[in-house]
Amino acid sequence: TFEQQLKEVESVRDETAKLLKQREAQVTELETEMQKLKDAAESKVSEVREQIFHKAREVQELNACVRETQSKLDAAALAEGSLQKELTEIREELKLKSADAEQATVLGERAREAETKLAEVEQLCGQLTEEKTNLST
Protein backbone atom coordinates (compact mmCIF):
# COMPACT_ATOMS: atom_id res chain seq x y z
CA THR A 1 0.00 0.00 0.00
CA PHE A 2 2.53 2.60 1.10
CA GLU A 3 5.09 1.09 -1.24
CA GLN A 4 2.55 1.04 -4.02
CA GLN A 5 1.65 4.67 -3.38
CA LEU A 6 5.37 5.48 -3.38
CA LYS A 7 5.80 3.72 -6.74
CA GLU A 8 2.82 5.61 -8.15
CA VAL A 9 4.25 8.92 -6.92
CA GLU A 10 7.64 8.05 -8.42
CA SER A 11 5.93 7.05 -11.67
CA VAL A 12 4.02 10.35 -11.76
CA ARG A 13 7.25 12.21 -10.92
CA ASP A 14 9.13 10.41 -13.72
CA GLU A 15 6.31 11.11 -16.17
CA THR A 16 6.22 14.77 -15.09
CA ALA A 17 10.00 15.05 -15.50
CA LYS A 18 9.73 13.49 -18.97
CA LEU A 19 6.94 15.93 -19.96
CA LEU A 20 8.94 18.84 -18.54
CA LYS A 21 11.96 17.90 -20.67
CA GLN A 22 9.72 17.66 -23.75
CA ARG A 23 8.24 21.09 -23.02
CA GLU A 24 11.70 22.57 -22.49
CA ALA A 25 12.80 21.13 -25.85
CA GLN A 26 9.70 22.61 -27.52
CA VAL A 27 10.35 26.00 -25.92
CA THR A 28 13.97 25.92 -27.11
CA GLU A 29 12.82 24.99 -30.61
CA LEU A 30 10.26 27.81 -30.64
CA GLU A 31 12.82 30.31 -29.37
CA THR A 32 15.21 29.25 -32.15
CA GLU A 33 12.46 29.61 -34.75
CA MET A 34 11.50 33.04 -33.35
CA GLN A 35 15.12 34.20 -33.58
CA LYS A 36 15.31 33.03 -37.21
CA LEU A 37 12.11 34.93 -38.03
CA LYS A 38 13.37 38.03 -36.22
CA ASP A 39 16.68 37.89 -38.13
CA ALA A 40 14.84 37.46 -41.44
CA ALA A 41 12.55 40.40 -40.65
CA GLU A 42 15.50 42.63 -39.71
CA SER A 43 17.25 41.66 -42.93
CA LYS A 44 14.16 42.51 -44.98
CA VAL A 45 13.78 45.85 -43.19
CA SER A 46 17.42 46.70 -44.00
CA GLU A 47 16.88 45.72 -47.63
CA VAL A 48 13.75 47.88 -47.91
CA ARG A 49 15.53 50.83 -46.26
CA GLU A 50 18.35 50.49 -48.79
CA GLN A 51 15.83 50.46 -51.66
CA ILE A 52 14.11 53.56 -50.25
CA PHE A 53 17.47 55.33 -49.99
CA HIS A 54 18.31 54.55 -53.63
CA LYS A 55 14.86 55.61 -54.84
CA ALA A 56 15.15 58.88 -52.91
CA ARG A 57 18.52 59.52 -54.55
CA GLU A 58 17.02 58.83 -58.00
CA VAL A 59 14.17 61.26 -57.27
CA GLN A 60 16.67 63.94 -56.22
CA GLU A 61 18.66 63.43 -59.43
CA LEU A 62 15.51 63.61 -61.56
CA ASN A 63 14.41 66.77 -59.76
CA ALA A 64 17.81 68.31 -60.47
CA CYS A 65 17.43 67.41 -64.15
CA VAL A 66 13.96 68.94 -64.22
CA ARG A 67 15.27 72.17 -62.64
CA GLU A 68 18.18 72.31 -65.08
CA THR A 69 15.89 71.72 -68.05
CA GLN A 70 13.46 74.38 -66.80
CA SER A 71 16.35 76.81 -66.47
CA LYS A 72 17.45 76.09 -70.05
CA LEU A 73 13.87 76.44 -71.22
CA ASP A 74 13.57 79.81 -69.47
CA ALA A 75 16.84 81.02 -71.01
CA ALA A 76 15.72 79.82 -74.45
CA ALA A 77 12.41 81.64 -74.03
CA LEU A 78 14.26 84.85 -73.16
CA ALA A 79 16.52 84.40 -76.18
CA GLU A 80 13.48 83.77 -78.36
CA GLY A 81 11.85 87.00 -77.13
CA SER A 82 15.03 88.97 -77.77
CA LEU A 83 15.36 87.52 -81.26
CA GLN A 84 11.69 88.24 -81.99
CA LYS A 85 12.26 91.85 -80.97
CA GLU A 86 15.42 92.10 -83.09
CA LEU A 87 13.61 90.59 -86.07
CA THR A 88 10.75 93.07 -85.67
CA GLU A 89 13.22 95.96 -85.50
CA ILE A 90 15.02 94.71 -88.61
CA ARG A 91 11.76 94.40 -90.50
CA GLU A 92 10.85 97.95 -89.52
CA GLU A 93 14.25 99.17 -90.69
CA LEU A 94 13.72 97.34 -93.96
CA LYS A 95 10.41 99.10 -94.47
CA LEU A 96 11.94 102.50 -93.74
CA LYS A 97 14.97 102.01 -95.94
CA SER A 98 13.47 100.13 -98.85
CA ALA A 99 14.59 102.88 -101.23
CA ASP A 100 18.23 102.01 -100.67
CA ALA A 101 18.75 98.68 -102.46
CA GLU A 102 22.20 97.96 -101.09
CA GLN A 103 21.10 98.73 -97.53
CA ALA A 104 17.98 96.60 -98.05
CA THR A 105 20.15 93.67 -99.15
CA VAL A 106 22.30 93.93 -96.01
CA LEU A 107 19.27 94.23 -93.77
CA GLY A 108 17.61 91.33 -95.58
CA GLU A 109 20.64 89.17 -94.85
CA ARG A 110 20.49 90.16 -91.18
CA ALA A 111 16.79 89.35 -91.14
CA ARG A 112 17.43 85.92 -92.66
CA GLU A 113 20.15 85.27 -90.09
CA ALA A 114 17.82 86.36 -87.30
CA GLU A 115 15.05 84.12 -88.70
CA THR A 116 17.49 81.20 -88.85
CA LYS A 117 18.56 81.85 -85.26
CA LEU A 118 14.93 82.16 -84.23
CA ALA A 119 14.08 78.85 -85.88
CA GLU A 120 17.00 77.21 -84.03
CA VAL A 121 15.86 78.67 -80.72
CA GLU A 122 12.26 77.59 -81.36
CA GLN A 123 13.51 74.07 -82.12
CA LEU A 124 15.59 74.08 -78.94
CA CYS A 125 12.56 75.27 -76.96
CA GLY A 126 10.54 72.40 -78.37
CA GLN A 127 13.25 69.89 -77.47
CA LEU A 128 13.59 71.28 -73.96
CA THR A 129 9.83 71.24 -73.47
CA GLU A 130 9.74 67.62 -74.61
CA GLU A 131 12.67 66.77 -72.32
CA LYS A 132 10.94 68.46 -69.39
CA THR A 133 7.75 66.54 -70.13
CA ASN A 134 9.69 63.27 -70.28
CA LEU A 135 11.45 64.00 -67.01
CA SER A 136 8.18 64.88 -65.31
CA THR A 137 6.65 61.48 -66.11
Side-chain angles (χ1 to χ4, degrees):
T1 60
F2 177 75
E3 290 178 3
Q4 190 166 349
Q5 285 179 342
L6 183 61
K7 284 183 183 180
E8 286 177 14
V9 167
E10 288 175 348
S11 174
V12 168
R13 183 196 65 204
D14 292 344
E15 186 64 29
T16 302
K18 181 179 171 185
L19 289 172
L20 183 59
K21 285 183 182 180
Q22 288 176 349
R23 292 288 183 225
E24 287 174 349
Q26 289 174 340
V27 166
T28 301
E29 186 179 326
L30 287 173
E31 286 174 342
T32 302
E33 187 63 29
M34 277 179 34
Q35 187 61 44
K36 287 179 185 177
L37 290 172
K38 181 181 174 187
D39 292 346
E42 288 174 355
S43 174
K44 189 64 177 177
V45 165
S46 293
E47 181 183 320
V48 169
R49 281 187 180 140
E50 188 71 20
Q51 289 173 353
I52 289 170
F53 173 79
H54 287 298
K55 291 296 179 187
R57 171 129 8 217
E58 288 176 19
V59 166
Q60 287 176 341
E61 290 171 1
L62 286 173
N63 284 338
C65 288
V66 167
R67 284 190 300 273
E68 181 181 340
T69 301
Q70 183 62 50
S71 177
K72 288 178 182 178
L73 188 59
D74 293 344
L78 286 174
E80 179 184 18
S82 175
L83 287 171
Q84 284 281 11
K85 183 179 177 185
E86 184 179 350
L87 184 58
T88 301
E89 290 171 0
I90 290 169
R91 286 182 179 149
E92 289 299 317
E93 278 185 57
L94 275 174
K95 288 178 187 175
L96 295 174
K97 297 184 179 186
S98 60
D100 185 356
E102 184 179 329
Q103 185 67 21
T105 303
V106 170
L107 290 174
E109 184 61 34
R110 283 180 56 198
R112 282 189 292 282
E113 289 173 4
E115 286 174 342
T116 301
K117 287 179 184 177
L118 179 60
E120 291 171 359
V121 169
E122 287 173 344
Q123 181 183 7
L124 178 61
C125 283
Q127 290 172 347
L128 289 172
T129 300
E130 182 178 334
E131 183 179 334
K132 179 182 176 187
T133 301
N134 289 341
L135 286 172
S136 295
T137 55

